[in-house]
Amino acid sequence: MAKNYDLVILGGGMGGYVSAIRASQLGLTVALVEADLLGGTCLHRGCIPTKSLLKSAAIYQTVKNSSLFGIEVNQALINFSEVQGRKLTVVDQLHKGVKQLIKKNKIDVFDGFGRLLGPSIFSPMSGTVSVEYKDDRENEMLIGKNVIVATGTKARQIESMPFDGKFVLSSDQALTLEELPESMLIVGGGVIGIEWASMLSDFGVKVTVIEADQHILPSFDKDISRVMKKELAKKGVDILTEANIEGYEVIDQTHVKLNLTLQDNEAKQVTADSVLVSIGRQAFTNDLGLENTSIELDDHGFIKVNQYYQTKESHIYAVGDCIGGAQLAHVAAHEGKLAVEHIANTHEKLPQENFVISCVYSQPEIATVGLTEQEAKREGKDVQVAKMPFSAIGKAVIEGHTTGFVKIISDRETEDIIGIHMMGSHVTDLISEAGLAMVLNATAEEIGQTIHPHPSLSEAIQETALAIHAKQIHG
């Protein structure tokens, strides 16, 4: 059976279902193909469940340290099964919300695996989607005037130590732990690795982070990386940088041992209950039928697209993590909307890549937008830099979270802000002001003139902006 649509979307994650809803709003008929669960990795195996666990870890630390606020408790205990139960409740509630949105927008959902076909009896163009079901239902053919591929990514593994779900874990597998380990090795000091290191150490797990680069969070501003390393060390996290894995072995079916080479060829062995591998993610493009089209992949296996997210086949688009770039849920959603608006000839002004906000939901949190100081200088820009610690902000002192800072980088010639970097409590909520400032080409002077409420954490942004020209009041 063949069905015709204005748009067929492969993948029901953030990029896919947001594209579907926007297309429906624009009057297009839409089919959404998802072999697993609507909401994708972010909702079921990434952003949402991870942040739920991080929240529980933060509450545990708050209760443990409640005496600092004059509140005495006998003992803080972790009931990890209840922690996991709350995570599932959060995910289930949001999953129901996504399904309701899809139903409200009259989007046809096909719960099978979609594969692209070449030119055939169904269409002279490639891109007809064959939906294959797990049960005995016959394949269905979906013929779209346009197609969006939004299939996301999967965890990348180390070939010499593949995931086994017990001793070597992906982040997906770590989310299903039934009990907390006593110790954990985390391979990879990027965003995922640092969030897990923060969470597990707050739960009382002994954590060692192994990073091949000179610094953890290597793509972030060096001030962020330096302070995060210090804060993790306070939690008891061991961090080994410039470390390469030479081999691993399971000891007595209870522990894992990694053989490492550090800088200057120093050999080291580390052991733990298990290893969490967080070395990045790879595009989920296997068996999608891309070979039946002219779609091209880059050297890392991501789908090549132009500025409008069109592939080499102009009627087939791709958005989200499967195209590489900033692999973030909010970016996937934005790309999906832009692709649909291009299909409908109502596209908005294309965003600048430097306006993408990145967050790390560790304790303390990290949020950034724009160029790092190091990137700006490499581009030859003459920069003005100001930094304000949260310890100078009244609301941070009240909340008992004074670690961290706001850092603003501006172009001395144009006065435009070109980067804002934050580290501290609730900065993932504060960063949107910085993003708006970047979009509007705001200057530090203009942010400084904006009245910010007192007491509030947002005062740190105003004070830092004022500090660009040495006009700060506090600090």
Side-chain angles (χ1 to χ4, degrees):
M1 180 186 297
K3 297 181 179 180
N4 292 275
Y5 292 90
D6 294 321
L7 177 62
V8 177
I9 301 171
L10 292 182
M14 189 72 127
Y17 82 75
V18 170
S19 299
I21 291 171
R22 184 66 185 123
S24 177
Q25 291 172 342
L26 292 172
L28 304 182
T29 56
V30 186
L32 181 61
V33 182
E34 173 55 61
D36 193 5
L37 297 169
L38 290 175
T41 294
C42 177
L43 176 52
H44 299 282
R45 298 177 296 279
C47 322
I48 299 302
T50 303
K51 277 55 179 179
S52 177
L53 296 181
L54 279 159
K55 181 62 177 179
S56 293
I59 292 294
Y60 176 60
Q61 286 297 315
T62 297
V63 174
K64 280 184 65 177
N65 294 286
S66 63
S67 61
L68 297 174
F69 298 85
I71 308 299
E72 299 290 341
V73 296
N74 291 330
Q75 189 177 10
L77 298 174
I78 300 171
N79 185 333
F80 196 63
S81 63
E82 290 295 323
V83 170
Q84 289 283 37
R86 180 181 185 273
K87 177 201 74 178
L88 294 175
T89 298
V90 169
V91 170
D92 183 60
Q93 179 179 333
L94 294 175
H95 183 214
K96 289 177 180 176
V98 171
K99 290 192 291 185
Q100 183 59 35
L101 287 171
I102 295 298
K103 181 179 179 181
K104 173 185 174 183
N105 285 278
K106 298 180 173 59
I107 296 160
D108 291 344
V109 176
F110 295 83
D111 59 341
F113 186 88
R115 187 175 289 106
L116 298 172
L117 303 180
S120 65
I121 60 172
F122 301 104
S123 173
M125 298 190 302
S126 60
T128 294
V129 175
S130 172
V131 182
E132 180 181 318
Y133 296 103
K134 294 179 181 178
D135 52 30
D136 57 2
R137 285 176 289 173
E138 292 185 3
N139 285 19
E140 290 192 79
M141 301 298 165
L142 308 180
I143 305 169
K145 294 178 182 177
N146 290 278
V147 176
I148 292 180
V149 179
T151 50
T153 57
K154 57 184 177 181
R156 187 182 299 277
Q157 63 182 353
I158 300 171
E159 289 188 12
S160 60
M161 46 185 293
F163 302 133
D164 61 20
K166 182 177 180 181
F167 295 107
V168 182
L169 309 175
S170 68
S171 55
D172 293 2
Q173 293 165 336
L175 281 169
T176 64
L177 287 170
E178 295 182 357
E179 58 185 27
L180 289 168
E182 291 185 7
S183 58
M184 178 78 79
L185 303 177
I186 298 178
V187 179
V191 173
I192 296 173
I194 294 307
E195 286 186 351
W196 276 94
S198 175
M199 175 215 304
L200 291 172
S201 60
D202 279 347
F203 275 137
V205 177
K206 176 58 184 173
V207 175
T208 300
V209 174
I210 300 163
E211 169 57 47
D213 201 277
Q214 287 183 314
H215 309 279
I216 58 171
L217 299 172
S219 64
F220 285 73
D221 191 275
K222 292 298 182 286
D223 284 343
I224 294 282
S225 174
R226 176 180 55 80
V227 175
M228 178 53 74
K229 182 176 181 180
K230 181 179 177 181
E231 290 304 308
L232 288 175
K234 287 181 182 178
K235 297 172 184 279
V237 176
D238 292 330
I239 297 176
L240 303 175
T241 55
E242 296 183 87
N244 294 305
I245 299 173
E246 302 297 337
Y248 91 105
E249 60 181 296
V250 176
I251 304 172
D252 299 329
Q253 291 298 306
T254 58
H255 289 75
V256 175
K257 178 172 71 174
L258 295 185
N259 298 313
L260 309 176
T261 299
L262 307 180
Q263 58 262 47
D264 301 323
N265 292 318
E266 177 189 353
K268 186 177 181 64
Q269 293 182 335
V270 288
T271 61
D273 291 351
S274 54
V275 180
L276 169 60
V277 177
S278 58
I279 59 170
R281 299 180 68 83
Q282 62 189 67
F284 190 87
T285 54
N286 291 343
D287 204 26
L288 290 182
L290 298 186
E291 68 278 3
N292 299 323
T293 73
S294 299
I295 294 174
E296 297 178 343
L297 304 179
D298 67 17
D299 292 339
H300 301 287
F302 295 103
I303 297 174
K304 288 184 178 182
V305 295
N306 66 13
Q307 70 269 38
Y308 301 109
Y309 306 103
Q310 291 170 294
T311 68
K312 195 72 177 290
E313 302 259 13
S314 61
H315 65 294
I316 303 178
Y317 294 66
V319 302
D321 291 4
C322 67
I323 67 171
Q327 295 179 38
L328 302 166
H330 49 281
V331 172
H334 192 64
E335 290 171 350
K337 287 186 286 186
L338 289 173
V340 167
E341 287 161 1
H342 186 260
I343 290 169
N345 293 315
T346 61
H347 59 278
E348 302 172 352
K349 179 182 177 182
L350 291 172
Q352 291 191 25
E353 188 173 342
N354 285 340
F355 295 164
V356 173
I357 291 172
S358 296
C359 297
V360 185
Y361 293 83
S362 50
Q363 294 295 334
E365 293 180 346
I366 297 168
T368 75
V369 62
L371 299 176
T372 67
E373 182 179 354
Q374 295 75 36
E375 288 169 338
K377 289 180 177 178
R378 281 199 296 270
E379 291 184 10
K381 296 183 183 296
D382 184 11
V383 298
Q384 302 173 102
V385 179
K387 191 163 68 171
M388 180 64 58
F390 274 107
S391 57
I393 305 301
K395 184 65 178 295
V397 175
I398 290 168
E399 294 200 350
H401 295 293
T402 56
T403 297
F405 57 87
V406 173
K407 179 177 180 177
I408 294 180
I409 304 159
S410 72
D411 187 308
R412 191 181 300 275
E413 180 180 354
T414 65
E415 293 288 331
D416 287 343
I417 292 172
I418 57 176
I420 301 182
H421 307 270
M422 305 180 184
M423 184 175 189
S425 180
H426 299 295
V427 296
T428 57
D429 298 312
L430 297 177
I431 193 65
S432 293
E433 177 183 349
L436 180 61
M438 296 277 292
V439 169
L440 297 178
N441 292 321
T443 66
E445 187 76 23
E446 289 166 337
I447 291 181
Q449 290 175 355
T450 302
I451 298 175
H452 288 65
H454 175 79
S456 72
L457 296 176
S458 67
E459 287 179 282
I461 302 173
Q462 181 186 30
E463 290 284 1
T464 311
L466 290 169
I468 287 285
H469 298 297
K471 295 180 180 180
Q472 72 272 24
I473 303 302
H474 304 91

